[in-house]
Amino acid sequence: MLQEIREQWKTLIEEQLAIYAKEILKEDVILAPLTIQVPPKPELGDIAFPLFAYAKQFRLAPVKIAQVLKERIEILANRPSGQLILAGPYLNIRLDFASLIKDLKDKVLTEKDAYGNSNVFNNKKVMIEFSCPNTNKPLHLGHMRNDSLGESVSSILKANGADVQKVNLINNRGVHICKSMLAYKKFGNGETPESSNIKGDHLVGKYYVKFAQWEKEDPTAVDQAKEMLIKWEEGDKETIDLWNKMNGWTLDGLAQSYEKTGVHFDKYYYESETYKLGKDKVLKGLESGVFYQEEDGSVWIDLEEINLDKKVLLRSDGTSLYMTQDIGTAISRHEDWPFESLVYVVASEQQYHFKVLFYILEKLGYSWAKDLHHLSYGMVNLPNGKMKSREGTVVDADDLFDNLAELAKQEIQNKEREGLVDGLDKTANAIALGALNYYLLQVDPSKDMTFDPVKSISFNGNTGPYLQYMGARISSMLRKFEDQKDDYLGVEFDPSLLTTEEERELVKMIANFPEIVKKAGLNFNPSIICSNLYDISKMFSKWYHDNKILMAEDKKMVVARINLAKMVLQVIKNSFNLVGISYLETM
RNA sequence: GCGUUCGUAGCUCAGCUGGAUAGAGCGUCGGACUUCGAAUCCGCAGGUCGAAGGUUCGAAUCCUUCCGAGCGCACCA
């Protein structure tokens, strides 16, 4: 809506510029397209068109160009709504708010949860892979950033009209899996999650750590793990049974973590099921000459064409590697669901891997290799550096979540709101999750971020709970209004009453929301939604603080402001859905 | 060494497809609740946007070089 008005003005001014140019220069010239901006201060209008770019061609000061354009446009009968403002070298527009608000209210309150959605992806089939845990240890903070991003980007793509399929890949085979199995076999004494009362994924993780200790004492440990992998690939019954048992424990534990953090998938893939296809494809590629074999039997690809070295695809003992199975996984995915785009949400440390993977698939002749995309996100670091499992500095996902939920619970109790809230634990969990998702998503995905376990997650300021609190306050106010609804029968909505600076800013933000959703979708970037969400919440908060809404003296004013609050709430709720924050009516 | 990403306030981050005076939050200090929810709001202080050149009417934003940091370049995943 706002976008249409901008474009209309842009077109009109460009037309006038062209006419003006022809008068001065006596010939047709190509003019640079007009740029659209937002003025830095409200009194300068709502849309800005800088005219510097034309000064040279016109041989006139931009201030003069602006003046002439303004005079000429003002006498035109047919022009878009709004008023022209001269601001030096800028030609600005002040929007006609009354008509904008009227249309906006109808649109937002009719479309409701769908307000802001677009169809820029035009039903495109997009598969998105994220999470991808190993079955040898529990989830940590790094996985949480991955999960938050995966869920959020999926929601954002759906809101932009994509047909999204969320997939997970369980990394359940490989030497690292054998390590925890071997340690369990040696030191486990038949311990189970039930007997030890340890969550399955944590129990398996315990033996992965144990392996690392044992490895230091026994130099044959790694070789033993490799032997186990060979046995596993041969289908040795004892090995497979142990593998099944321990994987089951881990997957149970992961399922619980996913449930708590609101992570869901349409389909699960398992490396154990895809690596064989990968192996076949590598051997076929060897036959067709895409790959080559060393004397020891290992299979390689030469990456000289893309200025890289060479990469091993099958070990000399014939077992598969990470790359081998990823080739198989991609191929079987395209067979299962012929995607038009496949997005891998994987940390930036694997950029090399994906560059090579995409190249290999292209060399193997898959035309869809060009539709593969690595959504690379930055590392989550701790104040003193990287998380290291060996140094015990890994932030465990379950612990972190539980601590946050506990803090939220205490906060509710401190405020003596336990009885007012819709379930203490339920609300505390929703607050914890909102805090976590917002914290992880507000940073540009491509950038590394620092997480301070002590200070990072607060419930005040630019945080998830702040946003939830704004939602709850609006919700509370609207409930009160509904209770007194009879007092307002027949009072019409009058948009011309919304004239304060905050009200105008709120209207603009509401009107601009669809653009924000679009931008977040095209850039695969939830942080755009986050900063917009904070901006509108903060603006609402200031407005609410300085103005009476439900308590306004005049009934018409109450109705006008309540409707604006409704629109703000709708945008906040729709934003919440895109970044994994629960909307709470009370908190 | 090669590749790649990044350097913005004490800390954590916006702003980066060039435009008007570079913004938030946290932290410090100070103010605002008999009034729609104070998990709130307001104010003070805090910046040679890593450095130097270049392109441009205009550079935090684009280009080059340098300095500094992260990540990668495994028969690990």
Side-chain angles (χ1 to χ4, degrees):
Chain A
M1 190 173 299
L2 196 52
Q3 182 67 7
E4 283 83 5
I5 298 174
R6 284 195 198 110
E7 290 299 327
Q8 285 165 11
W9 276 110
K10 182 184 172 195
T11 309
L12 178 68
I13 298 172
E14 280 181 336
E15 278 167 20
Q16 291 298 315
L17 267 169
I19 295 168
Y20 192 22
K22 195 164 182 183
E23 282 173 27
I24 299 174
L25 305 167
K26 315 280 187 225
E27 58 178 343
D28 285 315
V29 286
I30 296 162
L31 296 172
L34 198 59
T35 50
I36 305 178
Q37 287 174 217
V38 178
K41 286 178 129 180
E43 57 266 33
L44 293 170
D46 305 302
I47 309 171
F49 296 102
L51 298 166
F52 304 97
Y54 310 99
K56 204 170 208 173
Q57 268 174 306
F58 284 50
R59 268 170 294 184
L60 282 173
V63 179
K64 174 75 181 164
I65 300 173
Q67 280 168 357
V68 172
L69 285 175
K70 178 170 183 277
E71 284 163 17
R72 291 180 171 202
I73 291 169
E74 275 178 339
I75 56 169
L76 294 176
N78 256 341
R79 57 194 156 91
S81 71
Q83 175 198 345
L84 289 159
I85 296 176
L86 210 50
Y90 294 85
L91 188 56
N92 293 358
I93 312 295
R94 179 181 296 281
L95 294 169
D96 175 3
F97 271 77
S99 70
L100 176 64
I101 296 169
K102 180 82 179 55
D103 294 347
L104 194 61
K105 187 203 139 208
D106 293 342
K107 193 172 167 67
V108 176
L109 301 184
T110 307
E111 294 184 6
K112 293 204 162 85
D113 291 354
Y115 178 66
N117 289 2
S118 83
N119 196 26
V120 288
F121 280 84
N122 195 24
N123 230 26
K124 187 174 180 179
K125 293 172 83 122
V126 181
M127 184 179 272
I128 177 162
E129 175 202 276
F130 62 100
S131 203
C132 303
N134 293 322
T135 52
N136 61 348
K137 54 187 173 191
L139 302 176
H140 59 68
L141 184 55
H143 294 109
M144 297 187 112
R145 187 176 193 192
N146 186 308
D147 292 345
S148 291
L149 270 172
E151 280 292 340
S152 178
V153 170
S154 300
S155 304
I156 292 168
L157 293 180
K158 282 180 193 169
N160 282 294
D163 178 6
V164 176
Q165 179 152 56
K166 298 187 284 181
V167 299
N168 196 353
L169 173 65
I170 305 295
N171 293 301
N172 61 353
R173 51 131 263 126
V175 180
H176 59 302
I177 304 298
C178 293
K179 285 180 180 175
S180 49
M181 285 162 61
L182 197 55
Y184 178 80
K185 207 170 161 181
K186 282 188 85 72
F187 311 109
N189 294 319
E191 190 177 30
T192 66
E194 292 75 27
S195 75
S196 61
N197 200 24
I198 299 176
K199 194 163 163 268
D201 49 341
H202 289 261
L203 182 65
V204 175
K206 179 177 147 188
Y207 286 97
Y208 188 64
V209 172
K210 203 136 213 162
F211 181 90
Q213 291 162 355
W214 173 48
E215 184 185 15
K216 281 179 204 155
E217 297 152 20
D218 187 344
T220 69
V222 175
D223 288 339
Q224 290 186 45
K226 282 183 183 168
E227 278 165 30
M228 199 176 207
L229 180 63
I230 295 174
K231 274 189 174 175
W232 182 89
E233 287 206 10
E234 285 168 350
D236 174 66
K237 184 164 187 311
E238 196 195 332
T239 310
I240 296 288
D241 285 349
L242 178 62
W243 174 77
N244 270 322
K245 184 164 77 176
M246 292 181 72
N247 268 323
W249 293 344
T250 312
L251 292 175
D252 281 350
L254 293 177
Q256 288 173 40
S257 300
Y258 283 151
E259 189 56 40
K260 266 198 296 196
T261 53
V263 176
H264 300 284
F265 298 95
D266 297 308
K267 190 168 168 66
Y268 278 77
Y269 284 86
Y270 298 87
E271 270 196 31
S272 55
E273 292 166 7
T274 58
Y275 82 99
K276 276 187 182 151
L277 179 62
K279 211 163 162 176
D280 289 350
K281 295 293 174 181
V282 170
L283 292 172
K284 281 223 178 86
L286 182 61
E287 278 172 36
S288 66
V290 178
F291 309 133
Y292 69 92
Q293 195 159 30
E294 290 283 345
E295 277 177 16
D296 64 3
S298 53
V299 178
W300 299 73
I301 183 165
D302 193 327
L303 302 170
E304 206 183 350
E305 251 181 59
I306 49 171
N307 288 322
L308 295 173
D309 204 3
K310 54 190 182 172
K311 181 83 188 167
V312 64
L313 302 175
L314 276 180
R315 292 191 183 95
S316 51
D317 65 11
T319 58
S320 305
L321 293 119
Y322 177 43
M323 186 64 81
T324 324
Q325 69 79 23
D326 242 4
I327 294 168
T329 307
I331 293 167
S332 66
R333 279 176 180 164
H334 194 267
E335 284 167 3
D336 292 347
W337 197 74
F339 53 78
E340 293 167 86
S341 178
L342 169 55
V343 179
Y344 292 88
V345 182
V346 182
S348 60
E349 56 190 357
Q350 293 195 29
Q351 282 177 19
Y352 170 82
H353 173 79
F354 285 102
K355 199 170 173 184
V356 174
L357 174 65
F358 300 167
Y359 175 74
I360 290 172
L361 289 164
E362 189 194 317
K363 285 306 243 188
L364 287 173
Y366 295 100
S367 60
W368 44 264
K370 63 176 180 359
D371 304 321
L372 305 172
H373 177 68
H374 176 202
L375 174 51
S376 159
Y377 65 89
M379 312 294 294
V380 184
N381 295 315
L382 300 175
N384 22 356
K386 211 180 166 179
M387 283 193 277
K388 283 177 183 150
S389 44
R390 274 177 225 150
E391 292 168 23
T393 56
V394 173
V395 177
D396 180 76
D398 290 325
D399 288 351
L400 177 60
F401 184 86
D402 293 345
N403 288 340
L404 282 171
E406 184 55 35
L407 284 175
K409 205 166 156 177
Q410 285 169 16
E411 196 76 24
I412 295 167
Q413 286 167 332
N414 290 344
K415 293 177 196 302
E416 297 176 352
R417 293 191 59 85
E418 193 171 341
L420 299 168
V421 125
D422 179 25
L424 180 60
D425 284 325
K426 190 179 153 196
T427 306
N429 284 351
I431 293 170
L433 187 57
L436 199 51
N437 276 332
Y438 186 74
Y439 184 83
L440 294 169
L441 293 173
Q442 71 185 138
V443 179
D444 187 310
S446 67
K447 292 193 176 175
D448 288 355
M449 63 186 289
T450 304
F451 177 84
D452 185 331
V454 189
K455 290 188 286 184
S456 284
I457 297 210
S458 136
F459 295 160
N460 303 321
N462 187 0
T463 65
Y466 170 90
L467 302 166
Q468 285 173 317
Y469 178 64
M470 288 308 142
R473 283 167 102 185
I474 300 174
S475 158
S476 161
M477 192 168 62
L478 294 179
R479 277 195 304 274
K480 285 184 179 153
F481 178 75
E482 285 302 312
D483 290 346
Q484 328 164 349
K485 209 173 179 182
D486 293 349
D487 299 348
Y488 294 93
L489 289 174
V491 181
E492 295 232 344
F493 173 68
D494 181 359
S496 70
L497 296 174
L498 299 172
T499 54
T500 68
E501 189 184 305
E502 287 90 354
E503 284 157 355
R504 295 169 64 93
E505 289 303 310
L506 285 171
V507 167
K508 274 193 276 183
M509 286 187 212
I510 295 163
N512 199 45
F513 182 60
E515 292 305 307
I516 297 293
V517 177
K518 221 176 277 179
K519 192 175 170 194
L522 292 171
N523 292 294
F524 294 72
N525 188 348
S527 75
I528 294 169
I529 303 288
C530 289
S531 56
N532 188 256
L533 182 51
Y534 180 67
D535 288 344
I536 194 167
S537 300
K538 194 177 151 78
M539 188 58 73
F540 174 84
S541 190
K542 184 175 164 55
W543 178 58
Y544 177 87
H545 184 269
D546 295 348
N547 298 279
K548 289 179 172 163
I549 298 174
L550 198 54
M551 299 306 209
E553 301 78 20
D554 179 29
K555 282 192 179 177
K556 288 195 88 170
M557 186 61 96
V558 172
V559 169
R561 288 182 172 167
I562 282 288
N563 274 287
L564 181 58
K566 270 189 196 168
M567 288 189 261
V568 171
L569 181 61
Q570 191 65 59
V571 170
I572 288 179
K573 276 159 90 170
N574 294 2
S575 301
F576 278 4
N577 280 330
L578 300 177
V579 292
I581 299 176
S582 316
Y583 165 59
L584 297 171
E585 296 204 349
T586 53
M587 63 185 283

